[in-house]
Amino acid sequence: MSAHSAAHATIQLKVNGRSYRRSIPVRKLLADVLREDIGLTGTHLGCEHGVCGACTVLIDGRTARSCLVLAVQAEGSEILTVEGLAAPTAPLHPVQEAFCEKHGLQCGFCTPGMLLNAVALLQEKPDPTEEEVREGIAGNICRCTGYQQIIAAVLYAASLRNGGAASRQSEEVTREETHHA
Ligand code: FES
Ligand code: FES
């Protein structure tokens, strides 16, 4: 980072494998820099104070609420946003595929944060139980789905990666949801 005035700095951010050099106010949040200065509007802003999880990105593989991180703090780290999960012409990431397949979204506002949270969860726990998925997504608020389909989607994503038991759990969660609907 090079400070060229008291309030601005030129920083280099690595996002989805690409480097971006931008001159920004030092107090500007990572979420705003991603959206306004880099043009990656897939990162959504809901509460803007760390509660809803809509702005979740991965920084060096770990989930972070980009509304609570200054962009200057992220310099030198690898940032992954929802746009980095799959190139526009490439097949969907398994987690995206699972959310489509299991109807893990409605309006889609929470979805980018949910997807990145799920990616991090499955990196840490490749074959999670339903309870672990519930705990894992507990910090991301969804106003539409009632969460059941999201849980089914994350379990299904695990099964796509593993091919096995998680697929059966996902079926059970889906069946339970259908039964209670
Ligand atoms: S917008 Fe960042 S947690 Fe809600
Ligand atoms: S799908 Fe609408 S907020 Fe989650």
Side-chain angles (χ1 to χ4, degrees):
M1 172 175 62
S2 66
H4 55 75
S5 79
H8 281 70
T10 299
I11 63 168
Q12 191 110 9
L13 286 179
K14 272 190 269 176
V15 187
N16 303 333
R18 280 186 59 185
S19 278
Y20 298 88
R21 191 176 165 82
R22 294 290 185 272
S23 174
I24 56 156
V26 290
R27 295 180 61 181
K28 193 159 185 176
L29 296 166
L30 178 60
D32 293 329
V33 170
L34 289 171
R35 290 176 56 85
E36 295 167 10
D37 297 86
I38 298 181
L40 295 174
T41 53
T43 298
H44 290 169
L45 278 165
C47 65
E48 299 189 62
H49 60 270
V51 175
C52 72
C55 65
T56 301
V57 298
L58 300 192
I59 299 181
D60 292 333
R62 303 184 64 177
T63 55
R65 300 194 168 209
S66 58
C67 73
L68 295 182
V69 178
L70 295 174
V72 295
Q73 291 176 288
E75 193 175 23
S77 300
E78 296 280 348
I79 301 162
L80 182 70
T81 71
V82 70
E83 290 91 344
L85 288 181
T89 54
L92 293 176
H93 185 284
V95 171
Q96 291 173 308
E97 198 182 319
F99 270 65
C100 289
E101 184 69 29
K102 296 292 176 185
H103 310 291
L105 66 147
Q106 287 181 28
C107 79
F109 194 83
C110 70
T111 310
M114 283 287 185
L115 290 171
L116 289 161
N117 198 14
V119 167
L121 174 69
L122 294 176
Q123 267 162 11
E124 200 184 317
K125 293 186 167 79
D127 193 9
T129 63
E130 182 184 332
E131 199 48 43
E132 286 170 333
V133 173
R134 279 183 191 281
E135 270 173 38
I137 66 162
N140 285 54
I141 294 172
C142 175
R143 294 172 60 159
C144 305
T145 64
Y147 300 97
Q148 284 297 115
Q149 294 104 313
I150 292 174
I151 294 160
V154 178
L155 290 169
Y156 185 59
S159 78
L160 291 177
R161 288 161 48 121
N162 305 330
S167 147
R168 287 193 296 281
Q169 276 196 54
S170 161
E171 289 303 322
E172 278 161 24
V173 171
T174 307
R175 272 205 303 276
E176 202 176 306
E177 166 66 10
T178 308
H179 183 71
H180 292 309

Short mmCIF file of all heavy atoms in Angstrom, two decimals, residues 120-158:
data_model
loop_
_atom_site.label_atom_id
_atom_site.label_comp_id
_atom_site.label_asym_id
_atom_site.label_seq_id
_atom_site.Cartn_x
_atom_site.Cartn_y
_atom_site.Cartn_z
N ALA A 120 -16.52 -22.84 2.23
CA ALA A 120 -15.58 -22.90 3.36
C ALA A 120 -15.94 -24.04 4.30
O ALA A 120 -15.07 -24.77 4.79
CB ALA A 120 -15.58 -21.57 4.11
N LEU A 121 -17.25 -24.22 4.54
CA LEU A 121 -17.70 -25.30 5.43
C LEU A 121 -17.26 -26.66 4.89
O LEU A 121 -16.76 -27.51 5.63
CB LEU A 121 -19.22 -25.23 5.55
CG LEU A 121 -19.91 -26.36 6.32
CD1 LEU A 121 -19.57 -26.28 7.81
CD2 LEU A 121 -21.41 -26.31 6.15
N LEU A 122 -17.45 -26.86 3.58
CA LEU A 122 -17.12 -28.16 2.99
C LEU A 122 -15.61 -28.37 2.86
O LEU A 122 -15.15 -29.51 2.78
CB LEU A 122 -17.81 -28.32 1.63
CG LEU A 122 -19.34 -28.38 1.71
CD1 LEU A 122 -19.97 -28.45 0.32
CD2 LEU A 122 -19.81 -29.57 2.56
N GLN A 123 -14.87 -27.26 2.84
CA GLN A 123 -13.41 -27.43 2.86
C GLN A 123 -12.98 -27.95 4.23
O GLN A 123 -12.12 -28.81 4.35
CB GLN A 123 -12.72 -26.10 2.58
CG GLN A 123 -12.39 -25.94 1.09
CD GLN A 123 -12.11 -24.50 0.71
OE1 GLN A 123 -11.95 -23.63 1.57
NE2 GLN A 123 -12.06 -24.25 -0.58
N GLU A 124 -13.64 -27.42 5.25
CA GLU A 124 -13.28 -27.82 6.62
C GLU A 124 -13.87 -29.18 6.98
O GLU A 124 -13.23 -30.00 7.62
CB GLU A 124 -13.80 -26.75 7.58
CG GLU A 124 -13.13 -26.77 8.93
CD GLU A 124 -13.78 -25.74 9.84
OE1 GLU A 124 -14.04 -24.62 9.37
OE2 GLU A 124 -14.04 -26.08 11.00
N LYS A 125 -15.12 -29.41 6.53
CA LYS A 125 -15.82 -30.66 6.85
C LYS A 125 -16.38 -31.23 5.55
O LYS A 125 -17.53 -30.95 5.19
CB LYS A 125 -16.97 -30.39 7.82
CG LYS A 125 -16.55 -29.95 9.20
CD LYS A 125 -17.77 -29.86 10.10
CE LYS A 125 -17.41 -29.74 11.55
NZ LYS A 125 -17.01 -28.48 12.02
N PRO A 126 -15.62 -32.06 4.84
CA PRO A 126 -16.07 -32.53 3.53
C PRO A 126 -17.33 -33.40 3.59
O PRO A 126 -18.04 -33.51 2.59
CB PRO A 126 -14.87 -33.35 3.02
CG PRO A 126 -13.72 -32.92 3.85
CD PRO A 126 -14.27 -32.48 5.17
N ASP A 127 -17.61 -34.00 4.73
CA ASP A 127 -18.77 -34.88 4.82
C ASP A 127 -19.58 -34.50 6.07
O ASP A 127 -19.67 -35.27 7.03
CB ASP A 127 -18.29 -36.34 4.90
CG ASP A 127 -19.44 -37.31 4.67
OD1 ASP A 127 -20.54 -36.86 4.29
OD2 ASP A 127 -19.23 -38.51 4.89
N PRO A 128 -20.18 -33.32 6.08
CA PRO A 128 -20.80 -32.82 7.31
C PRO A 128 -22.12 -33.52 7.61
O PRO A 128 -22.80 -34.02 6.71
CB PRO A 128 -21.06 -31.34 6.99
CG PRO A 128 -21.26 -31.32 5.51
CD PRO A 128 -20.37 -32.40 4.95
N THR A 129 -22.48 -33.53 8.89
CA THR A 129 -23.80 -34.00 9.28
C THR A 129 -24.79 -32.84 9.05
O THR A 129 -24.38 -31.68 8.88
CB THR A 129 -23.85 -34.37 10.77
OG1 THR A 129 -23.59 -33.18 11.53
CG2 THR A 129 -22.83 -35.44 11.11
N GLU A 130 -26.08 -33.17 9.11
CA GLU A 130 -27.09 -32.12 8.95
C GLU A 130 -26.91 -31.06 10.05
O GLU A 130 -27.01 -29.86 9.80
CB GLU A 130 -28.49 -32.73 9.03
CG GLU A 130 -29.57 -31.69 8.81
CD GLU A 130 -30.97 -32.24 8.98
OE1 GLU A 130 -31.19 -33.43 8.75
OE2 GLU A 130 -31.85 -31.45 9.36
N GLU A 131 -26.62 -31.54 11.26
CA GLU A 131 -26.43 -30.61 12.37
C GLU A 131 -25.25 -29.67 12.12
O GLU A 131 -25.32 -28.46 12.40
CB GLU A 131 -26.20 -31.43 13.67
CG GLU A 131 -26.43 -30.68 14.95
CD GLU A 131 -27.75 -29.91 14.99
OE1 GLU A 131 -28.78 -30.45 14.56
OE2 GLU A 131 -27.72 -28.74 15.44
N GLU A 132 -24.17 -30.22 11.59
CA GLU A 132 -23.00 -29.38 11.30
C GLU A 132 -23.31 -28.35 10.21
O GLU A 132 -22.82 -27.22 10.26
CB GLU A 132 -21.81 -30.26 10.89
CG GLU A 132 -21.21 -30.99 12.07
CD GLU A 132 -20.19 -32.04 11.68
OE1 GLU A 132 -20.27 -32.60 10.55
OE2 GLU A 132 -19.31 -32.34 12.51
N VAL A 133 -24.14 -28.73 9.25
CA VAL A 133 -24.52 -27.77 8.21
C VAL A 133 -25.39 -26.67 8.84
O VAL A 133 -25.20 -25.48 8.58
CB VAL A 133 -25.26 -28.46 7.05
CG1 VAL A 133 -25.80 -27.42 6.06
CG2 VAL A 133 -24.34 -29.43 6.34
N ARG A 134 -26.34 -27.09 9.68
CA ARG A 134 -27.19 -26.09 10.36
C ARG A 134 -26.33 -25.09 11.12
O ARG A 134 -26.53 -23.87 11.04
CB ARG A 134 -28.12 -26.77 11.37
CG ARG A 134 -29.33 -27.37 10.74
CD ARG A 134 -30.28 -27.96 11.79
NE ARG A 134 -31.28 -28.75 11.13
CZ ARG A 134 -32.35 -28.23 10.52
NH1 ARG A 134 -32.55 -26.93 10.55
NH2 ARG A 134 -33.21 -29.00 9.89
N GLU A 135 -25.36 -25.60 11.88
CA GLU A 135 -24.47 -24.72 12.64
C GLU A 135 -23.64 -23.86 11.69
O GLU A 135 -23.45 -22.66 11.91
CB GLU A 135 -23.50 -25.55 13.50
CG GLU A 135 -24.04 -25.85 14.86
CD GLU A 135 -23.15 -26.81 15.62
OE1 GLU A 135 -21.92 -26.71 15.49
OE2 GLU A 135 -23.71 -27.67 16.31
N GLY A 136 -23.17 -24.48 10.62
CA GLY A 136 -22.29 -23.78 9.68
C GLY A 136 -22.95 -22.60 8.99
O GLY A 136 -22.29 -21.60 8.70
N ILE A 137 -24.25 -22.71 8.73
CA ILE A 137 -24.92 -21.60 8.01
C ILE A 137 -25.68 -20.69 8.96
O ILE A 137 -26.35 -19.75 8.51
CB ILE A 137 -25.88 -22.12 6.91
CG1 ILE A 137 -27.05 -22.89 7.51
CG2 ILE A 137 -25.14 -22.94 5.86
CD1 ILE A 137 -28.21 -23.03 6.54
N ALA A 138 -25.56 -20.96 10.27
CA ALA A 138 -26.38 -20.22 11.24
C ALA A 138 -26.12 -18.71 11.21
O ALA A 138 -26.98 -17.92 11.58
CB ALA A 138 -26.16 -20.77 12.64
N GLY A 139 -24.95 -18.32 10.78
CA GLY A 139 -24.62 -16.89 10.78
C GLY A 139 -25.05 -16.18 9.51
O GLY A 139 -24.80 -14.98 9.36
N ASN A 140 -25.68 -16.88 8.58
CA ASN A 140 -26.13 -16.25 7.33
C ASN A 140 -27.65 -16.23 7.31
O ASN A 140 -28.29 -17.28 7.36
CB ASN A 140 -25.59 -17.02 6.12
CG ASN A 140 -24.12 -16.78 5.90
OD1 ASN A 140 -23.32 -16.97 6.81
ND2 ASN A 140 -23.76 -16.35 4.72
N ILE A 141 -28.19 -15.04 7.21
CA ILE A 141 -29.65 -14.90 7.27
C ILE A 141 -30.27 -15.01 5.88
O ILE A 141 -29.78 -14.41 4.93
CB ILE A 141 -30.02 -13.54 7.91
CG1 ILE A 141 -29.58 -13.53 9.38
CG2 ILE A 141 -31.52 -13.27 7.80
CD1 ILE A 141 -29.71 -12.20 10.06
N CYS A 142 -31.33 -15.83 5.80
CA CYS A 142 -32.11 -15.93 4.57
C CYS A 142 -33.55 -15.62 4.93
O CYS A 142 -34.12 -16.23 5.84
CB CYS A 142 -32.01 -17.34 3.98
SG CYS A 142 -33.08 -17.54 2.55
N ARG A 143 -34.14 -14.69 4.20
CA ARG A 143 -35.52 -14.28 4.51
C ARG A 143 -36.54 -15.07 3.71
O ARG A 143 -37.74 -14.89 3.90
CB ARG A 143 -35.69 -12.79 4.25
CG ARG A 143 -34.86 -11.95 5.18
CD ARG A 143 -34.89 -10.51 4.78
NE ARG A 143 -36.24 -9.99 4.80
CZ ARG A 143 -36.56 -8.71 4.88
NH1 ARG A 143 -35.60 -7.82 4.97
NH2 ARG A 143 -37.80 -8.32 4.86
N CYS A 144 -36.09 -15.92 2.80
CA CYS A 144 -37.05 -16.55 1.88
C CYS A 144 -37.25 -18.05 2.09
O CYS A 144 -38.37 -18.52 2.05
CB CYS A 144 -36.59 -16.38 0.44
SG CYS A 144 -36.29 -14.70 -0.06
N THR A 145 -36.17 -18.79 2.24
CA THR A 145 -36.26 -20.24 2.01
C THR A 145 -36.69 -21.05 3.21
O THR A 145 -37.08 -22.20 3.05
CB THR A 145 -34.91 -20.80 1.55
OG1 THR A 145 -33.98 -20.62 2.64
CG2 THR A 145 -34.39 -20.12 0.30
N GLY A 146 -36.57 -20.50 4.40
CA GLY A 146 -36.82 -21.33 5.58
C GLY A 146 -35.66 -22.27 5.86
O GLY A 146 -35.76 -23.15 6.72
N TYR A 147 -34.58 -22.14 5.13
CA TYR A 147 -33.30 -22.82 5.35
C TYR A 147 -33.27 -24.30 4.97
O TYR A 147 -32.20 -24.84 4.71
CB TYR A 147 -32.80 -22.67 6.81
CG TYR A 147 -32.59 -21.23 7.21
CD1 TYR A 147 -33.57 -20.54 7.92
CD2 TYR A 147 -31.43 -20.54 6.85
CE1 TYR A 147 -33.40 -19.21 8.26
CE2 TYR A 147 -31.25 -19.21 7.18
CZ TYR A 147 -32.25 -18.55 7.89
OH TYR A 147 -32.08 -17.24 8.22
N GLN A 148 -34.42 -24.98 4.96
CA GLN A 148 -34.38 -26.43 4.72
C GLN A 148 -33.71 -26.78 3.39
O GLN A 148 -32.89 -27.69 3.32
CB GLN A 148 -35.79 -27.02 4.75
CG GLN A 148 -36.38 -27.17 6.14
CD GLN A 148 -35.58 -28.13 7.00
OE1 GLN A 148 -34.98 -27.73 8.00
NE2 GLN A 148 -35.56 -29.39 6.64
N GLN A 149 -34.09 -26.05 2.34
CA GLN A 149 -33.52 -26.36 1.03
C GLN A 149 -32.03 -26.01 0.98
O GLN A 149 -31.28 -26.63 0.25
CB GLN A 149 -34.25 -25.62 -0.09
CG GLN A 149 -35.68 -26.06 -0.26
CD GLN A 149 -36.62 -25.04 0.33
OE1 GLN A 149 -36.42 -24.56 1.44
NE2 GLN A 149 -37.66 -24.69 -0.42
N ILE A 150 -31.66 -25.01 1.74
CA ILE A 150 -30.23 -24.64 1.77
C ILE A 150 -29.44 -25.76 2.43
O ILE A 150 -28.37 -26.17 1.95
CB ILE A 150 -30.02 -23.30 2.51
CG1 ILE A 150 -30.64 -22.18 1.68
CG2 ILE A 150 -28.54 -23.03 2.74
CD1 ILE A 150 -30.63 -20.81 2.35
N ILE A 151 -29.98 -26.29 3.52
CA ILE A 151 -29.30 -27.41 4.20
C ILE A 151 -29.21 -28.61 3.25
O ILE A 151 -28.16 -29.23 3.11
CB ILE A 151 -30.05 -27.78 5.50
CG1 ILE A 151 -29.95 -26.62 6.49
CG2 ILE A 151 -29.50 -29.06 6.12
CD1 ILE A 151 -31.00 -26.64 7.58
N ALA A 152 -30.33 -28.88 2.57
CA ALA A 152 -30.32 -30.00 1.61
C ALA A 152 -29.29 -29.75 0.51
O ALA A 152 -28.59 -30.67 0.08
CB ALA A 152 -31.72 -30.16 1.00
N ALA A 153 -29.17 -28.49 0.08
CA ALA A 153 -28.22 -28.17 -0.98
C ALA A 153 -26.77 -28.38 -0.53
O ALA A 153 -25.95 -28.91 -1.28
CB ALA A 153 -28.43 -26.73 -1.45
N VAL A 154 -26.47 -27.96 0.69
CA VAL A 154 -25.09 -28.11 1.17
C VAL A 154 -24.75 -29.61 1.32
O VAL A 154 -23.67 -30.06 0.94
CB VAL A 154 -24.86 -27.34 2.49
CG1 VAL A 154 -23.43 -27.55 2.98
CG2 VAL A 154 -25.14 -25.85 2.29
N LEU A 155 -25.72 -30.37 1.83
CA LEU A 155 -25.49 -31.82 1.95
C LEU A 155 -25.33 -32.46 0.56
O LEU A 155 -24.49 -33.34 0.35
CB LEU A 155 -26.64 -32.49 2.72
CG LEU A 155 -26.71 -32.14 4.21
CD1 LEU A 155 -28.02 -32.64 4.81
CD2 LEU A 155 -25.51 -32.74 4.97
N TYR A 156 -26.12 -31.98 -0.38
CA TYR A 156 -26.03 -32.51 -1.74
C TYR A 156 -24.68 -32.13 -2.37
O TYR A 156 -24.06 -32.94 -3.06
CB TYR A 156 -27.19 -31.99 -2.57
CG TYR A 156 -27.26 -32.57 -3.96
CD1 TYR A 156 -27.39 -33.94 -4.16
CD2 TYR A 156 -27.19 -31.75 -5.08
CE1 TYR A 156 -27.44 -34.47 -5.44
CE2 TYR A 156 -27.26 -32.27 -6.36
CZ TYR A 156 -27.38 -33.64 -6.53
OH TYR A 156 -27.43 -34.16 -7.79
N ALA A 157 -24.23 -30.91 -2.10
CA ALA A 157 -22.92 -30.48 -2.61
C ALA A 157 -21.83 -31.40 -2.07
O ALA A 157 -20.91 -31.79 -2.80
CB ALA A 157 -22.64 -29.03 -2.23
N ALA A 158 -21.95 -31.75 -0.79
CA ALA A 158 -20.96 -32.68 -0.21
C ALA A 158 -21.01 -34.00 -0.93
O ALA A 158 -19.98 -34.61 -1.23
CB ALA A 158 -21.24 -32.86 1.29
#
